[in-house]
């Protein structure tokens, strides 16, 4: 394992539900990321946090709301999602958000929206 | 058009055989290129990283090459094993930032 954990690993939710994805890194990194991975598409960067401050939001719909209470934890709050939001959501961390630091990925949360 | 293109999209190989995966990129200025392996149901794990001045790097049975002039990279798998069945993702980093350009991945299936 890479030192980045995600829960839950699988999630099925209706379009009116509210749920949250959790990510925790045990690597002492200062930057954390949310990615969306859909079938046959490259990973899409959603959000970047550096030292608990959001530094990038890649035009993600407001039904996705990130939260970074400290440098070790990252959440993705979900509400009123659409079926096309079904995907694997990956969390990653790196030592810094600048430079060419390797990103370490968690195992992902497989999300299905009914 | 995606900045990182990988081919073939998928391939099936017999256990014990070799295979080569290709990655072409347009990211400029270039900083480094990584190959990640992603097992089904898991997150990507880095296999190799190469910078501009490196042509070849090996990690066990995995050997990556880089031609920064033609902006091409390959990942060669030697004597494939069933555990090599995975998606192999080419990831390119531009100079001065940590924003990564991802390929769609090469899906490899090794059969006995």
């Amino acid at each position: 394992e890479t030192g980045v954990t995600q829960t839950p690993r699988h999630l099925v939710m209706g379009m009116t539900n509210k749920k949250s994805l959790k990510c925790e890194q045990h690597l002492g990194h200062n930057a954390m990321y949310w990615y969306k991975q859909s079938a046959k598409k490259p990973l899409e960067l959603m959000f970047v946090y550096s030292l608990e401050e959001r530094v990038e939001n890649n035009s993600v719909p407001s039904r996705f709301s990130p939260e970074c209470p400290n440098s070790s934890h990252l959440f993705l709050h979900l509400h009123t999602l659409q079926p096309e939001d079904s995907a694997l959501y990956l969390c990653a961390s790196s030592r810094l958000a600048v430079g060419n630091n390797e990103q370490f990925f968690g195992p992902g949360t497989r999300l299905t929206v009914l | 058009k995606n900045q990182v293109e990988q081919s073939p999209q998928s391939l099936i190989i017999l256990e014990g055989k070799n295979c080569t995966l290709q990655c072409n990129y347009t990211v400029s200025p270039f900083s480094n290129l990584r190959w990640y392996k992603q097992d089904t149901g898991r997150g990507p794990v880095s296999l190799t990283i190469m910078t501009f001045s490196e042509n070849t790097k090996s990690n066990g049975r995995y050997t990556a090459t880089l031609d920064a002039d033609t902006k091409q990279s390959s990942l060669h798998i030697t004597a494939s094993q069933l555990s090599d069945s995975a998606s192999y993702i080419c990831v390119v980093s531009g100079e001065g930032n940590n924003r990564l350009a991802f390929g769609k991945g090469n899906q490899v299936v090794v059969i006995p």
Side-chain angles (χ1 to χ4, degrees), chain A residues 102-103 105, chain B residues 34-38 44-46 87-89 91:
Chain A
E102 179 178 356
Q103 293 185 20
F105 289 84
Chain B
R34 288 186 171 95
W35 282 93
Y36 279 84
K37 178 187 180 189
Q38 185 174 19
V45 176
S46 180
S87 177
Y88 293 85
I89 303 173
V91 184

Side-chain angles (χ1 to χ4, degrees), chain B residues 23-105:
Chain B
C23 173
N24 297 338
Y25 63 92
T26 59
V27 175
S28 182
F30 170 85
S31 177
N32 64 65
L33 183 148
R34 288 186 171 95
W35 282 93
Y36 279 84
K37 178 187 180 189
Q38 185 174 19
D39 293 312
T40 301
R42 300 285 189 93
V45 176
S46 180
L47 290 175
T48 64
I49 175 175
M50 287 184 294
T51 58
F52 185 88
S53 59
E54 297 175 295
N55 299 122
T56 303
K57 184 162 284 189
S58 292
N59 178 357
R61 294 179 296 100
Y62 300 104
T63 300
T65 67
L66 174 65
D67 185 335
D69 292 330
T70 61
K71 295 184 170 54
Q72 296 179 323
S73 175
S74 67
L75 182 69
H76 186 77
I77 304 176
T78 302
S80 61
Q81 300 177 359
L82 299 179
S83 59
D84 293 329
S85 296
S87 177
Y88 293 85
I89 303 173
C90 178
V91 184
V92 182
S93 177
E95 181 70 30
N97 64 71
N98 208 30
R99 303 301 173 261
L100 307 177
F102 292 84
K104 295 180 182 180

Side-chain angles (χ1 to χ4, degrees), chain A residues 4 10 14 18 30 38 51-52 66-67 88-89 94 106:
Chain A
V4 181
H10 301 272
K18 288 185 179 181
N30 292 313
S38 304
L51 296 171
E52 303 138 47
E67 178 190 0
L88 181 69
Y89 288 84
S94 63

Side-chain angles (χ1 to χ4, degrees), chain A residues 1 3 5 27 31 36-37 42 46 52 63 70 76 83 87-88 98 101 114:
Chain A
E1 295 300 321
T5 59
L27 301 170
K36 176 183 180 183
Q37 186 176 34
M46 300 175 71
E52 303 138 47
R63 57 186 184 269
N70 55 62
L76 188 62
L88 181 69
V98 295
N101 294 263
L114 302 177

Side-chain angles (χ1 to χ4, degrees), chain B residues 2 4-11 19-25 35 72-76 88-90 103-108:
Chain B
N2 197 29
V4 179
E5 297 288 345
Q6 293 186 241
S7 62
Q9 180 177 331
S10 61
L11 76 161
C19 72
T20 300
L21 313 176
Q22 300 290 343
C23 173
N24 297 338
Y25 63 92
W35 282 93
Q72 296 179 323
S73 175
S74 67
L75 182 69
H76 186 77
Y88 293 85
I89 303 173
C90 178
K104 295 180 182 180
N106 305 100
Q107 187 66 46
V108 174

